[in-house]
Amino acid sequence: MGGAVSAGEDNDELIDNLKEAQYIRSELVECAFRAIDRADYYLEEFRDSAYKDLAWRHGNIHLSAPCIYSEVMEALDLQPGLSFLNLGSGTGYLSTMVGLILAMSKILKSYLKATDKEAVIKGPFGVNHGVELHADVIDYAHQKLDCFIKTSDSFDRFEFCEPSFVMGNCLEIGPESRQYDRVYCGAGVQREHEDYMRNLLKVGGILVLPLEEKLTKITRTGYNTWETKKIIAVSFAPLVLPKHRENGKPRTVPLPAMFEVRSLQDLSRISIRTTLKKSVSGSWPLPRRVGFRGRSRAKQRREHRDSTLLTNRYVFMSRLIPGPLNDNHHPGTDDEEDDCRGVCEREEDEVEDEEDGRRKEGRVLLTEAPVNLLRERILSLPLPEPLKMYLLYYREK
C-alpha cells in the first residue's frame, strides 16, 4: 500500500510531497513528521527506500506507507496529556511521533499560530503505550527508541512522552483493563472484533483502525453512541487470532502502568534540561516552518545546518550536567566533555563562509566559557539542596 506521492531525496522532501498531496494537513502533524527521520527506522541495507511512499517489511519488522501514517496521525487529533494505545506498535516509529505531540503540542501550536510566545509545557506527560506480538520487533523498537533518545536533535529540542512497549496479542487485553483517549490498530480488523476495539476507548476518545479494507475513524460520543467515518481504502495484514491454551484459561496482556513514578535523578535532569534550553540559546529552534516550495533547496539546507549548530551547543552544555552514574557511582569524565567540545567545534567549521560571524560567536561560547561558570549558574537556580550538593561535588571533581 502506498505510492500516492513522489519519492523524496530526504525526509523533508518526502514531507513536502505529502503536504502538497494533502495527506498532511495540519502544521502540528507536519512538525512531528519532520522531527523524526523515517530512514532511522529502516535496516541499514534498505535505507535507500526510506523516502518512497511505500510500505516496507523485512521478516516481522514492518512500516506502513508514509501516506497511511499521515492519515492516521491526522485522524487521531492528538492533544497534550492524552493517553494513547498503539495495537501492533511495530518499530515504534508512529509511537515516537505521537510521544512528541503528546508532550509538546501546545508549544508547537503557540509557535505556529504566533499567538502565545510564553507558552511552556513542562513534560513529559501523557500516556504512550504499545502492544506488539513479536519479541524480536519489541527488541528492535527498543533499539530505535534508545537511538532516538541518545542521538536525535529532536529529543534535545522538545519534551518527550516516552512510549512503553509490552509483548502480547492485542486481542487478549482483559475486558477490565483501563480505557484510552486515543487508540490505533495497525492490523486489519474484521467486523466481529469491532466492539472489542471500541471498548478500549474512553467517552470522547478516537479509534483509528483498518476495518474491512477501509481506514476508519470511530469517535465514542457517549457511553453507547459512536460516530464512524471512512477515510481511505487500505490493505493491511489481518489480526493474528489468539492461540487456545491447553489448560483452557484465557491469557491476558498486562498493559504498562498508566503513570510511572520517576526517580529524583530523572526529575532533576528534566528540570535542568528545561532551564538550559531557555537560558543557553534563547528560544529553541522548532521543526522548519511550512511553505518551502518558494525557497531554494540550498537555503533550506543552510537553515538546517544552523539548527544543528544550535543543537550541538545545547548538547555540549547539557552534557556538562551529570547524567546517570557509572559503575563506580561517579559522573562522566573530563575526556567525555573534551570529546563533546571537539564535535561541536567541528560542526561549526562546516558552516558556510556567509555564516562566519555567527560561527565565531559560537566558538567563543564553546571554547572560552569556563565550565565552572555554567555550574555556578546552575547552583544559583532554585533547585533542591541535595541536587545542588551533587552538582557541587561534580564541579569540584
Side-chain angles (χ1 to χ4, degrees):
M1 182 68 193
V5 301
S6 302
E9 294 182 1
D10 54 26
N11 193 68
D12 280 319
E13 189 166 306
L14 171 63
I15 307 310
D16 289 342
N17 294 338
L18 290 168
K19 188 177 188 317
E20 191 172 88
Q22 291 297 302
Y23 284 101
I24 294 178
R25 299 177 290 277
S26 67
E27 291 178 314
L28 181 60
V29 170
E30 180 190 357
C31 284
F33 269 86
R34 291 194 188 279
I36 309 294
D37 194 325
R38 180 177 168 90
D40 290 342
Y41 290 80
Y42 276 64
L43 293 171
E44 189 64 34
E45 59 267 33
F46 299 102
R47 285 177 67 95
D48 291 344
S49 302
Y51 306 122
K52 298 177 181 179
D53 187 29
L54 296 172
W56 171 68
R57 179 179 292 278
H58 181 77
N60 292 326
I61 302 171
H62 174 259
L63 280 169
S64 295
C67 66
I68 301 299
Y69 282 133
S70 304
E71 290 288 2
V72 169
M73 292 285 285
E74 292 286 356
L76 284 171
D77 189 23
L78 295 161
Q79 302 295 329
L82 295 181
S83 55
F84 171 69
L85 178 62
N86 190 351
L87 303 175
S89 51
T91 65
Y93 172 63
L94 180 69
S95 292
T96 301
M97 288 193 292
V98 169
L100 289 174
I101 294 181
L102 292 180
M104 288 296 295
S105 57
K106 279 187 178 178
I107 293 180
L108 292 174
K109 284 182 177 179
S110 66
Y111 170 80
L112 295 168
K113 295 178 180 178
T115 57
D116 183 5
K117 297 297 184 182
E118 302 301 323
V120 175
I121 292 180
K122 294 182 179 179
F125 51 84
V127 174
N128 192 357
H129 292 166
V131 178
E132 170 56 44
L133 182 62
H134 303 287
D136 60 328
V137 181
I138 290 275
D139 292 339
Y140 188 83
H142 283 144
Q143 292 172 16
K144 295 303 178 182
L145 177 61
D146 187 59
C147 183
F148 170 75
I149 291 174
K150 290 182 177 179
T151 66
S152 173
D153 294 346
S154 297
F155 182 76
D156 286 314
R157 292 183 187 136
F158 310 116
E159 302 301 344
F160 181 51
C161 182
E162 185 174 329
S164 297
F165 305 114
V166 296
M167 188 178 72
N169 190 306
C170 65
L171 292 175
E172 294 182 318
I173 298 173
E176 73 287 349
S177 296
R178 66 189 72 94
Q179 295 174 318
Y180 290 78
D181 298 300
R182 300 291 186 268
V183 178
Y184 170 66
C185 181
V189 178
Q190 297 304 311
R191 189 66 67 178
E192 60 264 27
H193 295 124
E194 181 181 356
D195 288 342
Y196 171 89
M197 296 292 179
R198 286 180 172 187
N199 288 329
L200 295 172
L201 278 183
K202 295 179 180 178
V203 173
I206 295 174
L207 166 66
V208 179
L209 76 168
L211 183 62
E212 295 185 333
E213 305 299 313
K214 294 282 186 179
L215 188 65
T216 305
K217 176 180 179 179
I218 299 175
T219 304
R220 187 168 193 170
T221 56
Y223 188 77
N224 289 313
T225 57
W226 316 81
E227 287 183 358
T228 301
K229 177 183 178 182
K230 302 292 185 181
I231 302 175
I232 56 173
V234 292
S235 177
F236 276 68
L239 283 171
V240 176
L241 299 180
K243 295 180 181 179
H244 295 290
R245 302 183 68 184
E246 293 181 0
N247 58 14
K249 294 182 179 179
R251 178 183 301 165
T252 57
V253 175
L255 293 174
M258 190 60 85
F259 296 101
E260 297 181 2
V261 178
R262 287 183 171 268
S263 67
L264 176 61
Q265 191 175 51
D266 282 344
L267 293 173
S268 299
R269 282 186 63 78
I270 291 169
S271 176
I272 292 170
R273 283 165 55 87
T274 302
T275 302
L276 285 174
K277 287 176 186 178
K278 292 186 289 187
S279 62
V280 171
S281 60
S283 59
W284 201 245
L286 293 167
R288 303 186 305 157
R289 292 295 300 269
V290 295
F292 295 107
R293 289 299 184 184
R295 286 191 255 170
S296 67
R297 181 65 59 179
K299 186 171 183 180
Q300 295 177 40
R301 291 196 179 102
R302 286 198 298 272
E303 292 172 352
H304 176 73
R305 281 195 295 272
D306 181 56
S307 175
T308 302
L309 175 59
L310 287 173
T311 298
N312 285 333
R313 291 179 188 171
Y314 167 67
V315 170
F316 165 71
M317 302 295 271
S318 64
R319 287 178 183 171
L320 296 180
I321 310 305
L325 303 181
N326 61 24
D327 293 338
N328 296 321
H329 302 286
H330 293 294
T333 65
D334 292 336
D335 291 339
E336 293 172 350
E337 296 172 11
D338 293 338
D339 291 342
C340 185
R341 182 185 291 108
V343 170
C344 295
E345 289 176 341
R346 286 196 299 274
E347 287 287 348
E348 287 183 332
D349 290 338
E350 295 175 1
V351 180
E352 295 180 74
D353 291 339
E354 64 188 62
E355 304 292 339
D356 186 61
R358 188 177 300 175
R359 183 175 67 248
K360 289 180 180 177
E361 179 184 352
R363 183 175 291 115
V364 170
L365 172 64
L366 291 174
T367 60
E368 297 180 10
V371 171
N372 283 338
L373 181 61
L374 175 62
R375 296 183 182 135
E376 290 291 350
R377 183 172 184 180
I378 293 171
L379 290 172
S380 68
L381 296 172
L383 298 173
E385 285 301 320
L387 176 59
K388 287 186 178 182
M389 293 301 295
Y390 180 69
L391 293 176
L392 181 62
Y393 165 80
Y394 180 71
R395 181 193 64 181
E396 291 174 349
K397 286 292 181 182

